[in-house]
């Protein structure tokens, strides 16, 4: 019979008690780390022996197998960290970067034997894996990018793999039959290798690829000065055109006349273009280009003159001299392609160009009397019939398919929701119209006016909208040249006639005075003085940029 040595009693049910001195009640740890990998570890147990209990282990073995935290109601006590840190924790996101190249053999090419292709080698310290990437070159025609994906690269046939201790600058790295030459590395890699006791070799330059070197164009060399260089002419004279106004004189031919044309000389390539100026209803075909843009030969070599010009294709070899800006003089007759052109004027840019570059050439503009064609049947606009607005009726007379009249968009955007409001009473000989009060609303975005009638107790007149938004013409103006009411015409005490109804302005909104003072230079002083006298200097000013639809109209209504 077994004896319970802890209490001196037989090891029978009821004779065993809980050990009050025991402080660790956890299950023993059976994992340990070796070379950064977690491996199971269990104590050796003999045949026929019971499993080793935690109470039979020493304190050092318990600390080795377990890493516990005893939680109490007070402050938590943490056990010290393990001395062995896993590799994926110690070297996480730490990468060594080497630069190098490899030579690719070129077959069946007499011009080159190999090509140099630069690569970048990345070594990941957390798992000793590597990847090789070739920088992408645009339009190279070679599949580039990741040459070898991330993996552990074999070192030899015995199954060994490359380690960071095997890498160094100035060495050959053989991977899957390809020899990579390591030339240099970055600063982090150099510091890491030196901290581990490895001395790096001196960096090597990457050789030049003979194919790239052969394709590199040599620098241009010129015998003539740079002012005659075509590239210099393009960079300095691009989009610069000399424009001459001329008359094409062919009066010596049947039904000939002097027709206006425009001669444009392009300084970028010394080409000339001639365009006709067509007048409306001239009866001519609408083809403005008389001579397409080209370089005009001035003198042809004597050997080529006897050859028929209808068969001869003029090339730079046959031309002795082309037309230049010195040949175009204002005030003289110039013969181009067998036609005579009288240059009577030019634009401002052309005048400035000649004064700066050819001051010896004198420009002599000539006045030219242009033949004007009289229109026998003039288009007359019919009188206004009263339907719609004047602009809408005019659009019906200008085109077969009428278009909406154009509006001042900037004025509408700037003056949107800006309204000038006035209080008025009706001036009428009818005694029934006495005491009728109205509110004028002037919309600055469209120059329209709307009139609203206030309700009067026991007047017998229905209040509401008296006149919808419209432009009100002044009395006495004609239909052809109408004049409409504006802010300058609304002074306190003045009479406004609206379609044979007379109204007397009695008050205004404070917003009206503040807005009109901002444009006081466009208004008569009488209008502003009447507003200041009616509103008074003690009235509170309103910001002209605030919303005009405020409660200030209550003051206008109360004063009315």
């Amino acid at each position: 019979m077994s004896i319970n040595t802890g209490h001196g009693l037989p090891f029978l049910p009821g004779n065993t008690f809980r050990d009050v001195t025991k402080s660790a009640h956890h299950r023993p740890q059976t994992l340990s780390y070796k070379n950064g990998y977690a491996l199971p570890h269990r104590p050796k147990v003999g045949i026929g022996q019971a499993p080793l209990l935690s109470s039979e282990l020493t304190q050092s073995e318990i600390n080795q197998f377990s890493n516990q935290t005893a939680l109490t109601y007070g402050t938590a006590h943490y056990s010290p960290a393990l001395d062995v840190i896993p590799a994926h924790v110690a070297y996480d996101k730490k990468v060594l970067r080497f630069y190098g190249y490899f030579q690719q053999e070129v077959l069946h090419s007499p011009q080159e034997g190999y090509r140099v292709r630069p690569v970048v080698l990345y070594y990941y310290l957390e798992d000793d894996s590597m990847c090789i990437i070739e920088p992408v070159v645009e339009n190279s025609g070679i599949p580039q990018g990741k040459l070898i994906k991330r993996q552990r690269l074999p070192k030899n046939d015995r199954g060994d793999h490359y380690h960071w201790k095997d890498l160094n600058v100035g060495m050959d790295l053989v991977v899957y039959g390809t020899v990579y030459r390591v030339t240099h590395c970055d600063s982090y890699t150099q510091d890491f290798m030196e901290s581990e006791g490895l001395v790096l070799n001196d960096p090597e330059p990457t050789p030049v690829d003979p194919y790239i070197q052969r394709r590199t164009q040599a620098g241009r060399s010129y015998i003539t000065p740079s002012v005659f260089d075509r590239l210099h002419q393009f960079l300095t004279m691009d989009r610069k055109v000399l424009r001459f106004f001329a008359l094409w004189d062919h009066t010596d031919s049947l039904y000939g006349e002097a027709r206006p044309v425009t001669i444009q000389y392009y300084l970028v390539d010394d080409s000339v273009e001639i365009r006709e100026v067509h007048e409306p209803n001239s009866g001519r075909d609408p083809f403005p280009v008389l001579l397409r843009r080209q370089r005009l030969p001035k003198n042809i070599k004597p050997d080529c003159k006897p050859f028929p010009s209808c068969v001869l294709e003029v090339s730079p070899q046959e031309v002795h001299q082309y037309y230049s800006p010195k040949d175009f003089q204002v005030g003289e007759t110039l013969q181009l392609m067998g036609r005579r052109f009288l240059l009577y004027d030019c634009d401002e840019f052309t005048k400035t160009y000649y004064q700066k570059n050819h001051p010896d050439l004198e420009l002599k503009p000539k006045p030219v009397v242009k033949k004007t064609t009289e229109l026998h049947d003039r288009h007359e606009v019919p009188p206004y019939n009263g339907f719609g607005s004047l602009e809408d009726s005019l659009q019906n007379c200008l085109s077969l398919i009428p278009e909406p009249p154009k509006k001042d968009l900037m004025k509408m955007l700037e003056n949107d929701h800006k309204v000038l409001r006035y209080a008025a009473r009706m001036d009428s000989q009818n005694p029934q119209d006495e005491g009728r009060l109205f509110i004028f609303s002037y919309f600055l975005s469209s120059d329209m006016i709307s009139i609203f009638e206030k309700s009067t107790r026991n007047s017998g007149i229905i209040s509401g909208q008296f006149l919808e938004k419209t432009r009100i013409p002044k009395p006495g103006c004609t239909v052809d040249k109408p004049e409409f009411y504006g802010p300058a015409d609304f002074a306190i005490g003045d009479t406004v006639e609206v379609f044979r109804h007379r109204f007397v302005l009695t008050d205004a909104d404070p917003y009206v005075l503040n807005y009109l003072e901002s444009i006081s230079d466009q208004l008569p002083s009488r209008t502003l003085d009447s507003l200041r006298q009616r509103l008074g200097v003690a009235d509170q000013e309103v910001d002209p940029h605030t919303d005009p639809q405020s409660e200030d109209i209550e003051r206008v209504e109360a004063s009315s």
Side-chain angles (χ1 to χ4, degrees):
M1 180 181 296
S2 301
I3 302 299
N4 190 351
T5 59
H7 300 85
L9 298 176
F11 195 75
L12 294 175
N15 295 335
T16 58
F17 302 94
R18 181 174 60 87
D19 188 2
V20 296
T21 61
K22 183 179 179 180
S23 60
H25 303 276
H26 64 281
R27 296 180 62 86
Q29 180 62 264
T30 59
L31 293 178
S32 63
Y33 289 94
K34 184 177 182 180
N35 295 333
Y37 294 92
L39 300 177
H41 176 73
R42 295 182 181 272
K44 296 182 180 180
V45 179
I47 300 176
Q49 298 180 2
L52 185 61
L53 302 177
S54 60
S55 60
E56 300 178 6
L57 298 176
T58 62
Q59 186 64 30
S60 60
E61 292 176 345
I62 293 176
N63 294 337
Q64 181 179 1
F65 294 155
S66 63
N67 184 13
Q68 62 174 356
T69 302
L71 297 179
T72 62
Y73 290 99
T75 306
H77 299 280
Y78 299 95
S79 60
L82 293 176
D83 296 338
V84 179
I85 302 177
H88 66 275
V89 176
Y91 298 114
D92 183 30
K93 297 181 181 179
K94 293 184 178 180
V95 185
L96 306 181
R97 181 169 58 177
F98 295 89
Y99 299 92
Y101 68 92
F102 71 97
Q103 294 183 0
Q104 182 184 11
E105 185 179 2
V106 179
L107 303 177
H108 312 293
S109 177
Q111 299 178 353
E112 55 182 345
Y114 64 93
R115 293 186 181 179
V116 178
R117 300 175 60 176
V119 295
V120 182
L121 296 89
Y122 295 93
Y123 186 94
Y124 299 87
L125 295 172
E126 57 181 346
D127 57 355
D128 298 329
S129 60
M130 299 179 63
C131 73
I132 301 178
I133 298 177
E134 181 181 6
V136 178
V137 180
E138 187 178 1
N139 297 329
S140 63
I142 302 175
Q144 296 174 328
K146 184 176 292 186
L147 301 181
I148 299 178
K149 66 180 182 179
R150 181 177 174 179
Q151 57 182 294
R152 298 189 67 186
L153 299 181
K155 180 179 179 181
N156 47 40
D157 299 337
R158 296 189 299 272
D160 299 336
H161 297 86
Y162 278 105
H163 194 260
W164 56 268
K165 297 180 181 179
D166 303 326
L167 303 179
N168 202 334
V169 176
M171 62 169 293
D172 293 335
L173 191 68
V174 182
V175 179
Y176 298 128
T178 304
V179 180
Y180 297 92
R181 182 69 178 182
V182 182
T183 57
H184 60 286
C185 62
D186 57 2
S187 58
Y188 172 77
T189 304
Q190 184 176 1
D191 296 341
F192 176 81
M193 301 292 278
E194 292 178 354
S195 64
E196 295 296 334
L198 295 179
V199 179
L200 296 179
N201 300 329
D202 297 334
E204 298 179 358
T206 302
V208 181
D209 187 7
Y211 176 75
I212 300 298
Q213 187 177 11
R214 182 173 55 88
R215 291 195 57 181
T216 303
Q217 298 181 358
R220 296 183 179 182
S221 59
Y222 302 97
I223 301 176
T224 57
S226 60
V227 293
F228 299 100
D229 185 13
R230 290 294 179 184
L231 180 60
H232 179 269
Q233 183 180 5
F234 172 77
L235 295 177
T236 56
M237 296 298 178
D238 187 26
R239 305 174 65 87
K240 294 183 179 181
V241 184
L242 305 180
R243 184 169 60 174
F244 302 90
F245 304 103
L247 289 178
W248 174 21
D249 185 12
H250 62 114
T251 55
D252 52 350
S253 61
L254 184 62
Y255 307 112
E257 60 179 350
R259 298 164 60 178
V261 296
T262 302
I263 302 177
Q264 299 181 161
Y265 187 93
Y266 296 87
L267 297 173
V268 65
D269 55 356
D270 298 327
S271 58
V272 181
E273 183 184 49
I274 303 177
R275 289 177 169 268
E276 292 189 60
V277 179
H278 291 282
E279 297 180 357
N281 300 325
S282 62
R284 300 187 179 276
D285 295 332
F287 302 113
V289 179
L290 180 64
L291 178 66
R292 66 176 179 86
R293 180 178 173 180
Q294 56 181 307
R295 298 185 67 186
L296 297 181
K298 182 179 180 181
N299 295 326
I300 301 178
K301 295 181 179 180
D303 300 340
C304 302
K305 287 184 178 181
F307 200 84
S309 59
C310 61
V311 182
L312 174 64
E313 182 179 355
V314 180
S315 62
Q317 287 74 19
E318 285 81 18
V319 178
H320 181 71
Q321 186 180 4
Y322 287 96
Y323 276 99
S324 63
K326 296 182 179 180
D327 302 321
F328 293 85
Q329 299 183 13
V330 177
E332 298 184 0
T333 301
L334 184 66
Q335 188 167 359
L336 301 176
M337 306 295 288
R339 295 178 175 85
R340 298 190 305 272
F341 296 93
L342 174 61
L343 308 181
Y344 64 87
D345 202 356
C346 60
D347 59 359
E348 294 297 330
F349 173 77
T350 306
K351 295 178 181 179
T352 305
Y353 175 81
Y354 275 93
Q355 292 175 1
K356 181 179 179 181
N357 298 277
H358 304 286
D360 54 333
L361 298 179
E362 184 179 0
L363 302 179
K364 303 176 181 178
K366 292 185 177 180
V368 177
V369 179
K370 297 183 180 180
K371 182 180 179 181
T372 58
T373 58
E374 297 182 359
L375 299 178
H376 300 284
D377 298 333
R378 293 183 176 275
H379 181 69
E380 295 183 0
V381 179
Y384 177 61
N385 55 7
F387 292 96
S389 62
L390 294 174
E391 292 80 3
D392 292 335
S393 300
L394 182 61
Q395 292 296 115
N396 295 329
C397 304
L398 297 180
S399 61
L400 182 61
I401 301 177
E403 298 179 356
K406 296 183 179 180
K407 299 181 180 180
D408 192 350
L409 184 59
M410 295 302 299
K411 180 179 180 181
M412 296 176 62
L413 294 177
E414 293 176 356
N415 300 321
D416 190 22
H417 299 297
K418 294 183 179 180
V419 183
L420 307 181
R421 289 175 291 193
Y422 302 85
R425 61 177 177 83
M426 181 173 286
D427 183 11
S428 175
Q429 300 296 332
N430 190 355
Q432 297 179 358
D433 294 335
E434 294 183 1
R436 298 179 64 178
L437 303 179
F438 298 87
I439 297 177
F440 279 60
S441 298
Y442 185 90
F443 298 88
L444 295 173
S445 60
S446 58
D447 297 330
M448 292 186 177
I449 301 175
S450 67
I451 303 177
F452 180 85
E453 183 176 2
K454 289 183 58 181
S455 60
T456 305
R457 189 178 183 85
N458 299 326
S459 64
I461 300 176
I462 301 176
S463 62
Q465 187 176 12
F466 183 82
L467 179 67
E468 63 180 5
K469 291 175 61 175
T470 183
R471 290 191 299 176
I472 301 177
K474 296 181 180 180
C477 63
T478 61
V479 179
D480 299 335
K481 297 181 179 180
E483 295 182 6
F484 299 97
Y485 279 108
D489 304 319
F490 294 153
I492 303 300
D494 287 356
T495 302
V496 180
E497 184 175 346
V498 180
F499 302 119
R500 299 182 181 180
H501 294 275
R502 298 170 61 85
F503 298 89
V504 178
L505 302 180
T506 59
D507 203 349
D509 191 29
Y511 173 79
V512 178
L513 178 59
N514 290 346
Y515 176 76
L516 296 183
E517 285 181 348
S518 63
I519 55 172
S520 58
D521 55 340
Q522 305 175 12
L523 301 175
S525 59
R526 174 178 171 275
T527 303
L528 293 176
D529 294 340
S530 64
L531 289 171
R532 294 190 185 102
Q533 183 178 1
R534 180 66 184 87
L535 297 176
V537 295
D539 292 344
Q540 183 179 1
E541 295 185 357
V542 181
D543 188 5
H545 299 287
T546 57
D547 186 7
Q549 305 293 341
S550 61
E551 298 298 334
D552 294 336
I553 194 63
E554 296 180 358
R555 177 189 175 278
V556 179
E557 298 175 355
S559 63
S560 301

